[in-house]
Amino acid sequence: MAKIGYLTISLLIASEEEEKELLKKTSNLGYKVCMGKAGTMESSELIAAIETAAKREEILRAGYYKEEHALYHASLNALRGFCRGEIGIGNFLRTIGVKFVVLRGPMDTTHSNLGEWVSVGIYGMVGAPIKGFEHEAIGLEINNI
Amino acid sequence: MAKIGYLTISLLIASEEEEKELLKKTSNLGYKVCMGKAGTMESSELIAAIETAAKREEILRAGYYKEEHALYHASLNALRGFCRGEIGIGNFLRTIGVKFVVLRGPMDTTHSNLGEWVSVGIYGMVGAPIKGFEHEAIGLEINNI
Amino acid sequence: MAKIGYLTISLLIASEEEEKELLKKTSNLGYKVCMGKAGTMESSELIAAIETAAKREEILRAGYYKEEHALYHASLNALRGFCRGEIGIGNFLRTIGVKFVVLRGPMDTTHSNLGEWVSVGIYGMVGAPIKGFEHEAIGLEINNI
Amino acid sequence: MAKIGYLTISLLIASEEEEKELLKKTSNLGYKVCMGKAGTMESSELIAAIETAAKREEILRAGYYKEEHALYHASLNALRGFCRGEIGIGNFLRTIGVKFVVLRGPMDTTHSNLGEWVSVGIYGMVGAPIKGFEHEAIGLEINNI
Amino acid sequence: MAKIGYLTISLLIASEEEEKELLKKTSNLGYKVCMGKAGTMESSELIAAIETAAKREEILRAGYYKEEHALYHASLNALRGFCRGEIGIGNFLRTIGVKFVVLRGPMDTTHSNLGEWVSVGIYGMVGAPIKGFEHEAIGLEINNI
Amino acid sequence: MAKIGYLTISLLIASEEEEKELLKKTSNLGYKVCMGKAGTMESSELIAAIETAAKREEILRAGYYKEEHALYHASLNALRGFCRGEIGIGNFLRTIGVKFVVLRGPMDTTHSNLGEWVSVGIYGMVGAPIKGFEHEAIGLEINNI
């Protein structure tokens, strides 16, 4: 049994080697998955990077507002969790360097009757724009799609 | 090399078997660590459970307000990340069942000169008080101590 | 042409007479609709009232977590809009007396290909627990379902 | 009997034809009223548009900070309700196209002894900068002036 | 020249001796003033204490909703500043022991033509319910009345 | 006996003459102290001004991330208190002109065993970019360092 959030988090913190294995496993469990990286001081750029990757990798069906809406709010809330409160990066004088993961599929692999869900995870460093003056943060949101 | 947030997240999502191995590894890397579980509709109860566990396992030195202050704000912000915005559980008609992890030690094991930090992670289920009507969430905060 | 939000708001502010006409029109346009009233100092009670009404009137299919999840977040955000910021009623020493409306159907009646959406609207009085020491507020959220 | 919020909302969702009738009725009930439209990704631009319209239409007396202060906070909170939480438009990668209405007058027309109030309403579309990938939202705040 | 916020803050941090002198000075400058203390874990109790004191000392005219509304929002925002973000006391497992001050009068004593304003200040200790495990906080809001 | 928050607030509202006396007293009590002024519409500029001043005056030890982290969160929360809710200046169409004070030393001078703390205070004017259309605000945060 595997849950959508567990798989998202596992991919977020995986090393490059573990990633390959995990991506295969995740696909075999019936999930569509995409990943990417972003370094930015603008929250809109991170949201755009997630949306672009999800469309390119066909996690979303082109032209379906419902699906984009579900992904958008999952991304916004994952970023809110990452920021631990109000969303703010450059306007709070900090920068982020993150990996993001998007999964689409069942809530958990033993309950496929619960329909499709989307999970967005963000993990990486947040801090001052000085090497080493930063620490880790994580954000995750799961939404009906 | 291992980072304090990575280790916290790894422990949060570990199976019982993986946990034992990870706890040993984390201790060997120089971290104090404690864990616990909480099921509640009151945010104050989760914060209390984290504080109590951290004191009992001597993550904090008894009677040091500075250290309790650092842990308190890490816990509050980890919960904020878990809630993806405003803190609210029962007052938002939802319940949580979570595992929490507290680590104290270096920011990352290759930079011991960065002093001591505390990391609080919360992972588990949030949702309606109906079996299966819930999904995963995660929150993490790292603070200077 | 009619939009889901426009119809929700129209029902919220309708007089009893206008309501009958509007309910008929809204149903004819292909929407499932339910309404109710709540007077409370607890935000969880309002959310519960909305959920209960939506289930009783079969806006949601029984046992579908995905649909309850969509409604829950629409309700929470409609309440956030009503509160104009943080959610708080009794804990902010105020009370509310509101009408709520839930619609399920197309985003707008000329774009049925956009799939099904749920709209939650809350309208009424908020203020001190003294007759006349209160003013109107409104909240609306539209979510994919 | 008519309430300031009800009239504001009615004007917000009125068709062009209904608007004329409603504006006349609202004026006859003793309200000063102004309206406008704004399409923007910057929250400051919407607030500026509301202030400018209110001054031009003499809803506010020129040079009275107290009145501008009351309008400013009503606008900010109406926008907060529209955004359903934190204020954010372009920084959250979304755009808005809205109509706004400002009323000044009695809380309700049967209680003129309650003094003057200002009501700000915002209604329109919010969403991705793609035609059709957007949905309705509404915000309202009523303040003493 | 003296400003309403400066006088409020000065009274908040005054010793008992300084207080007498300051109260006299503040009254002579044309301000109505009241003060009080509150120790609580419920935000509603603090708001109630401020309202009650302001009515008893006739800072507000009895039965004027407009004036109560202005005071209410000043109190809520002063508490928000005191809490440095979301309002939360006992639900965040903390307790407060504070002094509060309410002033009504000119924005500053050299600009009496700016009309009447109300200022609410809150100052004191916030922290764990353990003696010494707490630190100072302050909140201030100024509103048109 | 003197507390770190009391001293910070006293310095914030001191006249130029009082300031000299207070600075001497504060230093003699064992605090490192720095002050500055900032007029801006960007929250990041105020945070930067506080950090720069604190480094230049050696409130922080150069290259210590732990100490910069403690100051950063104190500054961010002081600004949150100043803004009475969400952080926003220019994006909310307002401007600020403030004085800030940073203190480092004991929580209070009779409890030196409580270790070192940092206090950040912000006081000044916030409002429309029109002379006189602004009022006072204050923000304070105390953090373990």
Side-chain angles (χ1 to χ4, degrees):
Chain A
M1 199 269 276
K3 288 180 182 161
I4 193 169
Y6 172 82
L7 290 167
T8 306
I9 298 169
S10 299
L11 276 162
L12 281 175
I13 64 169
S15 65
E16 276 185 52
E17 280 169 77
E18 294 164 338
E19 217 177 82
K20 281 179 204 161
E21 203 59 45
L22 256 169
L23 280 172
K24 213 185 298 174
K25 180 187 159 195
T26 306
S27 291
N28 289 343
L29 286 166
Y31 291 94
K32 286 180 185 170
V33 53
C34 80
M35 294 168 37
K37 291 196 174 178
T40 184
M41 294 185 83
E42 297 293 337
S43 41
S44 58
E45 284 182 11
L46 174 57
I47 303 171
I50 295 172
E51 276 192 19
T52 304
K55 285 179 187 168
R56 197 186 48 228
E57 303 295 324
E58 298 182 349
I59 308 284
L60 305 184
R61 284 175 291 173
Y64 275 66
Y65 177 36
K66 265 189 78 166
E67 301 196 352
E68 185 174 299
H69 186 262
L71 177 69
Y72 174 75
H73 284 282
S75 302
L76 203 65
N77 272 353
L79 181 53
R80 195 168 275 132
F82 182 91
C83 290
R84 290 141 294 145
E86 279 168 76
I87 291 175
I89 311 178
N91 52 333
F92 290 1
L93 198 65
R94 57 188 181 187
T95 185
I96 66 170
V98 300
K99 177 178 172 179
F100 60 82
V101 170
V102 183
L103 254 70
R104 178 181 180 151
M107 178 65 90
D108 70 59
T109 55
T110 57
H111 288 85
S112 53
N113 62 325
L114 287 172
E116 271 196 321
W117 297 78
V118 64
S119 171
V120 175
I122 301 165
Y123 167 72
M125 305 305 284
V126 58
I130 304 169
K131 183 73 190 161
F133 277 43
E134 52 185 359
H135 61 68
E136 296 156 276
I138 192 167
L140 172 75
E141 179 62 302
I142 295 168
N143 201 2
N144 56 293
I145 191 163
Chain B
M1 201 269 275
K3 288 178 182 162
I4 192 169
Y6 171 83
L7 291 167
T8 305
I9 297 169
S10 299
L11 276 162
L12 281 175
I13 63 169
S15 65
E16 277 184 51
E17 280 169 77
E18 294 164 339
E19 214 177 85
K20 280 178 204 161
E21 204 59 46
L22 256 169
L23 281 172
K24 213 185 298 174
K25 179 189 160 196
T26 307
S27 292
N28 289 342
L29 287 166
Y31 291 95
K32 286 181 185 169
V33 53
C34 81
M35 294 168 37
K37 292 198 173 177
T40 185
M41 294 184 83
E42 297 293 336
S43 42
S44 58
E45 284 182 12
L46 174 57
I47 303 170
I50 295 172
E51 275 192 20
T52 303
K55 285 179 187 168
R56 197 186 49 227
E57 303 295 324
E58 298 182 347
I59 309 284
L60 306 184
R61 286 176 288 173
Y64 275 66
Y65 177 35
K66 266 188 76 165
E67 301 197 352
E68 185 174 300
H69 186 263
L71 177 69
Y72 174 74
H73 284 282
S75 301
L76 203 65
N77 272 353
L79 181 54
R80 195 168 275 131
F82 182 91
C83 291
R84 291 139 293 145
E86 280 169 74
I87 290 175
I89 311 179
N91 52 331
F92 290 1
L93 198 63
R94 57 187 181 187
T95 185
I96 66 171
V98 299
K99 178 179 174 179
F100 60 81
V101 170
V102 184
L103 253 70
R104 179 182 179 150
M107 179 64 90
D108 70 59
T109 54
T110 56
H111 289 85
S112 54
N113 63 323
L114 287 172
E116 272 195 322
W117 296 77
V118 64
S119 171
V120 175
I122 300 165
Y123 167 71
M125 304 305 283
V126 59
I130 303 169
K131 184 72 189 163
F133 277 43
E134 51 185 1
H135 61 67
E136 296 155 276
I138 193 168
L140 173 75
E141 178 62 300
I142 295 168
N143 201 2
N144 56 292
I145 190 164
Chain C
M1 198 267 276
K3 288 179 182 162
I4 193 169
Y6 171 82
L7 291 167
T8 305
I9 297 169
S10 299
L11 277 162
L12 281 176
I13 64 169
S15 65
E16 276 185 51
E17 280 168 77
E18 295 164 336
E19 215 178 84
K20 282 178 205 160
E21 204 59 45
L22 256 169
L23 280 172
K24 213 185 299 173
K25 181 188 159 196
T26 306
S27 292
N28 289 341
L29 286 167
Y31 291 94
K32 286 181 185 169
V33 55
C34 81
M35 293 168 37
K37 292 197 174 179
T40 185
M41 295 184 83
E42 298 292 338
S43 41
S44 58
E45 284 182 12
L46 174 57
I47 302 171
I50 296 173
E51 276 191 19
T52 303
K55 284 179 188 169
R56 197 186 48 228
E57 303 296 323
E58 299 182 347
I59 309 284
L60 305 185
R61 285 177 288 174
Y64 275 66
Y65 176 35
K66 264 188 78 166
E67 301 198 353
E68 185 173 301
H69 185 263
L71 177 69
Y72 174 74
H73 284 282
S75 302
L76 202 66
N77 272 353
L79 181 53
R80 195 168 275 131
F82 183 91
C83 290
R84 290 140 293 146
E86 280 169 73
I87 291 175
I89 311 177
N91 52 332
F92 290 1
L93 197 65
R94 56 187 183 188
T95 185
I96 67 171
V98 300
K99 178 179 173 179
F100 60 83
V101 170
V102 184
L103 254 70
R104 178 183 179 149
M107 178 65 89
D108 70 59
T109 55
T110 56
H111 288 85
S112 54
N113 62 325
L114 287 172
E116 272 195 321
W117 297 76
V118 65
S119 170
V120 175
I122 301 165
Y123 167 71
M125 305 304 285
V126 58
I130 303 168
K131 184 73 190 162
F133 276 45
E134 51 185 1
H135 61 67
E136 295 156 277
I138 193 167
L140 172 76
E141 179 62 302
I142 295 167
N143 201 2
N144 57 293
I145 191 165
Chain D
M1 199 270 274
K3 289 179 182 162
I4 193 170
Y6 171 83
L7 291 167
T8 306
I9 297 169
S10 299
L11 277 162
L12 281 175
I13 64 170
S15 66
E16 276 185 52
E17 280 169 78
E18 295 164 337
E19 214 178 84
K20 281 177 204 161
E21 205 59 46
L22 255 169
L23 280 173
K24 213 185 300 174
K25 180 189 160 196
T26 306
S27 292
N28 289 342
L29 287 166
Y31 291 94
K32 286 181 185 169
V33 54
C34 80
M35 293 168 38
K37 292 197 173 177
T40 185
M41 294 184 84
E42 297 293 337
S43 41
S44 58
E45 284 182 12
L46 174 57
I47 302 170
I50 296 173
E51 276 191 20
T52 304
K55 284 179 186 169
R56 196 185 50 227
E57 303 296 324
E58 298 182 347
I59 310 285
L60 305 185
R61 285 176 289 173
Y64 276 66
Y65 176 36
K66 265 188 75 167
E67 302 196 351
E68 184 173 301
H69 186 263
L71 177 70
Y72 174 75
H73 284 281
S75 302
L76 203 65
N77 272 353
L79 181 53
R80 196 168 274 132
F82 182 91
C83 291
R84 290 139 295 145
E86 279 169 74
I87 291 175
I89 312 179
N91 51 332
F92 291 0
L93 197 66
R94 57 187 182 188
T95 184
I96 67 171
V98 300
K99 178 179 173 179
F100 60 82
V101 170
V102 184
L103 253 70
R104 179 183 178 149
M107 179 65 89
D108 69 59
T109 54
T110 56
H111 288 86
S112 55
N113 63 324
L114 287 172
E116 272 196 321
W117 297 77
V118 65
S119 171
V120 175
I122 301 165
Y123 167 72
M125 305 305 284
V126 58
I130 303 169
K131 184 70 190 163
F133 277 43
E134 52 186 0
H135 61 69
E136 295 156 276
I138 192 167
L140 172 74
E141 179 62 302
I142 295 168
N143 200 3
N144 57 292
I145 191 164
Chain E
M1 199 269 274
K3 288 179 182 160
I4 193 170
Y6 171 82
L7 290 167
T8 306
I9 298 168
S10 299
L11 276 162
L12 281 175
I13 63 170
S15 65
E16 277 185 51
E17 280 169 77
E18 293 164 339
E19 214 178 85
K20 282 178 203 161
E21 204 59 46
L22 255 170
L23 281 171
K24 214 185 298 173
K25 181 188 160 195
T26 307
S27 292
N28 289 343
L29 286 166
Y31 292 94
K32 285 181 186 169
V33 54
C34 81
M35 294 168 37
K37 292 196 173 178
T40 185
M41 294 184 84
E42 297 293 337
S43 41
S44 57
E45 284 183 12
L46 174 57
I47 302 170
I50 296 172
E51 275 191 20
T52 304
K55 284 179 187 169
R56 196 185 51 227
E57 302 295 324
E58 298 182 348
I59 308 284
L60 306 184
R61 286 177 289 174
Y64 275 66
Y65 176 35
K66 265 188 77 166
E67 301 197 352
E68 185 174 301
H69 185 263
L71 177 70
Y72 174 75
H73 284 282
S75 301
L76 203 66
N77 272 353
L79 181 52
R80 195 168 275 132
F82 182 91
C83 291
R84 291 140 294 147
E86 279 168 76
I87 290 176
I89 311 179
N91 52 333
F92 290 0
L93 197 66
R94 57 189 183 186
T95 186
I96 65 171
V98 300
K99 179 178 173 179
F100 59 82
V101 170
V102 183
L103 253 69
R104 179 182 179 149
M107 179 66 91
D108 70 59
T109 55
T110 57
H111 288 86
S112 54
N113 62 324
L114 288 172
E116 273 197 320
W117 297 78
V118 64
S119 170
V120 174
I122 300 165
Y123 167 71
M125 304 305 285
V126 58
I130 304 169
K131 183 72 189 162
F133 277 44
E134 51 185 1
H135 61 68
E136 295 155 277
I138 192 168
L140 172 75
E141 179 61 300
I142 295 167
N143 201 2
N144 56 292
I145 191 165
Chain F
M1 199 268 275
K3 287 179 182 160
I4 193 169
Y6 172 83
L7 291 167
T8 306
I9 298 168
S10 299
L11 276 162
L12 281 175
I13 64 169
S15 65
E16 276 185 52
E17 280 169 78
E18 294 164 338
E19 214 178 84
K20 281 178 204 162
E21 204 60 46
L22 256 169
L23 281 172
K24 213 185 299 172
K25 181 189 158 194
T26 306
S27 292
N28 289 342
L29 287 166
Y31 292 94
K32 286 180 185 170
V33 54
C34 81
M35 294 168 38
K37 292 196 173 178
T40 185
M41 294 184 83
E42 297 293 337
S43 42
S44 57
E45 284 183 12
L46 174 57
I47 302 170
I50 296 173
E51 275 191 20
T52 304
K55 284 178 186 168
R56 195 184 52 228
E57 303 295 323
E58 299 182 348
I59 309 284
L60 304 185
R61 285 176 289 173
Y64 275 67
Y65 176 36
K66 265 188 76 166
E67 301 196 353
E68 185 174 301
H69 185 263
L71 177 70
Y72 174 74
H73 284 281
S75 302
L76 203 66
N77 272 352
L79 181 54
R80 195 168 275 132
F82 183 91
C83 290
R84 291 139 294 146
E86 279 168 74
I87 291 175
I89 311 178
N91 52 332
F92 290 0
L93 197 66
R94 57 188 182 186
T95 184
I96 66 171
V98 300
K99 178 179 172 179
F100 60 82
V101 170
V102 184
L103 253 70
R104 178 181 179 151
M107 178 64 90
D108 70 58
T109 54
T110 58
H111 289 85
S112 54
N113 62 324
L114 288 172
E116 272 196 322
W117 297 76
V118 64
S119 171
V120 174
I122 301 165
Y123 167 72
M125 304 305 284
V126 58
I130 303 169
K131 184 73 190 162
F133 277 43
E134 51 185 1
H135 61 68
E136 296 156 276
I138 192 167
L140 172 75
E141 179 62 300
I142 296 168
N143 201 2
N144 57 291
I145 191 167

